[in-house]
C-alpha cells in the first residue's frame, strides 16, 4: 500500500489548519465541508453532500460502485468559545488521508471503501441521525480516530455512554419584597436538585458521571423566579447502569419539586450516545498497521468521555485509533488541547493514523476471511 506522499501530507496539514482556524458548531460546519470537498475534488473524488438529510454530512467512495463498504468516519465540528478544543480537525484529516491511501488501491478492492463526513459529534449526535436514516445500512465496518491529550497511542478503547437532560422547574412569580409568601421559587428547586445530586453521587459507580449547570436562574433580583432550568449530562460505561441513573435522576428532580411546591419537567437535551464497544478483531488489524510504524498501541482501556461513535459501534464492527498530540499531557476540551491540535507533532501523528487506517481499510476490502472474522 502506498503511503501518503510528502505533498499530500503537507496539503492535509493545511486542510487541518484551515478547519482549525474556522471553528464551527454542530450542524453548521459549512466552511469545513467546503474545504474538505474542495480537497477531495482536487484529488479526483466526487462528493455526495447532504446525505441522511444533514446539510453538512457527505459521502464519497472508491472501489465497486455498488454494494457494501468499509467506512472511514470524519468529524469536523468544534466547541462553543474554545473552538477546536477536541481536535476534530485532526479526525477530519486522518480519515481523509486514510481515504486517499485506500483510493490508491481502488482497483484491488472487492468491496468499496467510503469516507463518510459525520457532523455534530459535540452536540446533537450526527451519527445517530445518519444511522436512523439508513446511511450505515450497507456498512461492513467503521474505522475512525480521535486525538488524545495523553501520551499513549490506543486502539480498541471503550467509552462512556452519555445522555443529556433539560430539567425545568415551574413555580409562581411574586414580588420578592412585598409578597415573597405568595411565590413558589423555581430557583430554589434547582438549588435543591443540585444538592440532591451531590448527595447521590457517592453511590454511583466509579466511572459514572453526573454534571450540569444552571441555564436559567430567574431574571430579576426583586422577583421570585417562576422558572428555572438546569442542563445535565449523565454518563456510564454500561447502558443498563445509565438507564438506572436516568430513573434515579428523575426521582431526585421530583423530590426537589415536592420540597419547593413547584412542578418539574424533564426533556431530552442530547440524544443517547451509546457506550463505545470496540471490535477486537478489527482493532487487531489497525494495531498491526500501527506496529509497522514502530508503534505499540495500548489495547482497550476506558475513555471517560463519550462519542456518537458509540451508537455506530453497537450496530456494526467499529474500532478507532487515539493518537497523541502533545509531548506532555493536556486536558481535553481546553485551550491547551486546541493549540496542541495544530502542532507539528499532531499533524505527524495524524498522518501515521491516516496511513494505518487506510491500510487497514484496504486489507479489509481485499480479504474476505478477515471480513468474516470481524463480523462473527
Ligand atoms: Zn471529540
Amino acid at each position: 500500500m502506498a503511503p501518503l506522499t510528502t505533498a499530500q501530507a503537507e496539503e492535509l496539514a493545511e486542510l487541518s489548519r484551515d478547519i482549525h482556524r474556522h471553528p464551527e458548531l454542530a450542524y453548521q460546519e459549512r466552511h469545513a465541508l467546503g474545504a474538505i470537498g474542495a480537497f477531495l475534488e482536487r484529488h479526483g473524488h466526487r462528493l455526495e453532500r447532504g446525505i441522511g438529510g444533514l446539510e453538512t454530512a457527505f459521502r464519497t467512495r472508491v472501489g465497486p460502485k455498488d454494494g457494501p463498504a468499509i467506512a472511514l468516519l470524519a468529524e469536523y465540528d468544534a466547541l462553543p468559545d474554545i473552538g477546536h478544543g477536541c481536535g476534530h480537525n485532526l479526525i477530519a484529516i486522518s480519515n481523509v488521508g486514510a481515504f486517499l491511501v485506500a483510493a490508491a488501491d481502488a482497483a484491488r478492492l472487492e468491496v468499496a471503501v467510503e469516507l463518510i463526513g459525520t457532523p455534530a459529534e459535540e452536540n446533537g449526535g450526527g451519527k445517530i441521525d445518519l444511522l436512523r436514516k439508513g446511511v450505515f445500512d450497507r456498512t461492513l465496518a467503521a474505522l475512525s480516530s480521535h486525538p488524545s491529550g495523553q501520551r499513549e497511542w490506543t486502539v480498541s478503547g471503550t467509552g462512556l455512554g452519555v445522555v443529556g437532560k433539560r430539567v425545568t422547574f415551574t413555580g409562581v412569580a411574586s414580588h420578592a419584597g412585598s409578597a415573597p409568601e405568595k411565590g413558589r421559587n423555581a430557583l430554589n428547586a434547582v438549588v435543591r436538585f443540585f444538592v440532591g445530586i451531590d448527595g447521590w453521587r457517592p453511590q454511583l459507580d466509579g466511572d459514572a458521571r453526573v454534571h450540569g449547570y444552571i441555564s436559567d436562574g430567574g431574571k430579576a433580583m426583586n422577583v421570585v423566579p417562576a422558572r428555572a432550568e438546569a442542563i445535565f449530562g449523565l454518563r456510564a460505561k454500561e447502558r443498563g447502569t445509565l438507564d438506572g441513573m436516568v430513573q434515579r435522576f428523575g426521582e431526585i428532580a421530583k423530590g426537589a419539586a415536592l420540597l419547593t411546591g413547584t412542578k418539574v419537567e424533564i426533556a431530552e437535551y442530547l440524544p443517547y450516545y451509546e457506550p463505545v464497544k470496540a471490535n477486537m478483531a478489527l482493532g487487531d488489524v489497525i494495531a498491526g498497521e500501527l506496529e509497522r510504524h514502530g508503534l505499540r498501541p495500548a489495547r482497550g482501556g476506558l475513555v471517560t468521555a463519550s462519542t456518537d461513535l458509540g451508537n455506530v459501534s453497537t450496530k456494526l464492527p467499529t474500532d478507532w485509533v487515539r493518537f497523541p498530540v502533545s509531548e506532555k499531557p493536556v486536558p481535553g476540551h481546553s485551550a491547551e488541547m486546541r493549540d496542541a491540535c495544530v502542532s507539528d507533532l499532531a499533524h505527524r501523528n495524524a498522518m501515521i493514523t491516516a496511513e494505518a487506517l487506510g491500510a487497514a481499510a484496504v486489507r479489509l476490502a481485499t480479504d474476505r476471511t478477515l471480513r468474516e472474522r470481524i463480523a462473527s
Side-chain angles (χ1 to χ4, degrees):
M1 269 153 272
L4 294 165
T5 64
T6 312
Q8 283 172 327
E10 188 35 54
E11 219 187 324
L12 284 163
E14 191 42 50
L15 175 62
S16 160
R17 286 188 281 264
D18 184 4
I19 296 171
H20 195 270
R21 272 196 305 270
H22 299 90
E24 295 163 304
L25 297 181
Y27 299 113
Q28 294 164 38
E29 309 93 333
R30 295 183 188 94
H31 181 91
L33 175 63
I36 295 167
F39 178 100
L40 287 164
E41 280 158 7
R42 268 200 314 279
H43 288 268
H45 303 289
R46 284 174 49 143
L47 264 71
E48 192 189 339
R49 290 176 170 80
I51 57 166
L54 298 186
E55 183 192 339
T56 52
F58 72 89
R59 174 163 48 196
T60 180
R61 178 178 175 111
V62 288
K65 294 250 172 314
D66 211 8
I70 308 297
L72 295 157
L73 308 186
E75 296 173 11
Y76 30 83
D77 63 324
L79 295 158
D81 302 328
I82 205 100
H84 274 290
C86 202
H88 292 187
N89 55 304
L90 297 170
I91 305 182
I93 63 156
S94 52
N95 286 285
V96 170
F99 182 74
L100 294 187
V101 170
D105 263 327
R108 289 205 299 132
L109 305 179
E110 295 161 15
V111 300
V113 174
E114 289 184 344
L115 172 66
I116 302 180
T118 66
E121 190 283 321
E122 295 291 355
N123 195 359
K127 294 182 196 66
I128 303 172
D129 302 318
L130 298 177
L131 279 162
R132 279 194 198 121
K133 290 285 172 69
V135 167
F136 292 100
D137 284 359
R138 304 185 81 183
T139 308
L140 298 174
L143 288 72
S144 197
S145 61
H146 204 294
S148 163
Q150 304 303 310
R151 243 171 303 173
E152 234 172 20
W153 286 77
T154 310
V155 176
S156 309
T158 55
L160 299 179
V162 65
V163 64
K165 297 288 180 188
R166 181 192 302 275
V167 184
T168 311
F169 290 92
T170 310
V172 178
S174 181
H175 193 297
S178 64
E181 75 285 358
K182 295 208 168 75
R184 292 291 177 270
N185 191 324
L187 178 59
N188 276 347
V190 169
V191 170
R192 275 159 181 75
F193 184 46
F194 271 83
V195 172
I197 297 287
D198 286 342
W200 173 43
R201 190 171 281 111
Q203 302 162 17
L204 296 174
D205 280 3
D207 299 315
R209 306 275 189 267
V210 186
H211 43 83
Y213 73 104
I214 300 176
S215 44
D216 179 6
K219 297 282 182 287
M221 172 274 284
N222 54 6
V223 179
V224 172
R227 184 184 188 282
E229 183 192 270
I231 289 172
F232 268 92
L234 297 101
R235 301 181 198 246
K237 64 182 174 197
E238 303 289 347
R239 173 138 200 169
T241 310
L242 192 47
D243 287 344
M245 284 169 61
V246 167
Q247 194 187 341
R248 190 82 190 98
F249 179 83
E251 287 162 2
I252 295 168
K254 277 187 204 138
L258 213 56
L259 275 168
T260 51
T262 57
K263 289 201 175 72
V264 65
E265 241 181 65
I266 301 181
E268 184 179 274
Y269 173 74
L270 180 78
Y272 213 125
Y273 284 24
E274 302 264 4
V276 179
K277 281 201 240 158
N279 182 296
M280 291 308 275
L282 177 55
D284 288 346
V285 179
I286 300 172
E289 292 302 332
L290 286 172
E291 279 158 21
R292 287 173 198 265
H293 292 268
L295 296 164
R296 291 192 159 273
R299 298 296 303 278
L302 177 70
V303 181
T304 48
S306 312
T307 161
D308 59 2
L309 188 64
N311 299 61
V312 176
S313 78
T314 61
K315 295 274 157 38
L316 50 114
T318 300
D319 214 312
W320 54 327
V321 177
R322 292 178 60 87
F323 60 93
V325 295
S326 164
E327 296 287 359
K328 68 174 195 358
V330 290
H333 290 193
S334 67
E336 293 96 310
M337 181 71 179
R338 177 193 60 211
D339 298 345
C341 284
V342 274
S343 64
D344 290 345
L345 174 69
H347 287 148
R348 266 200 313 278
N349 288 346
M351 295 313 146
I352 294 173
T353 303
E355 290 183 2
L357 289 176
V362 169
R363 279 190 60 198
L364 289 162
T366 53
D367 184 342
R368 187 165 161 187
T369 317
L370 198 53
R371 293 196 294 278
E372 284 166 1
R373 193 183 314 151
I374 64 158
S376 65

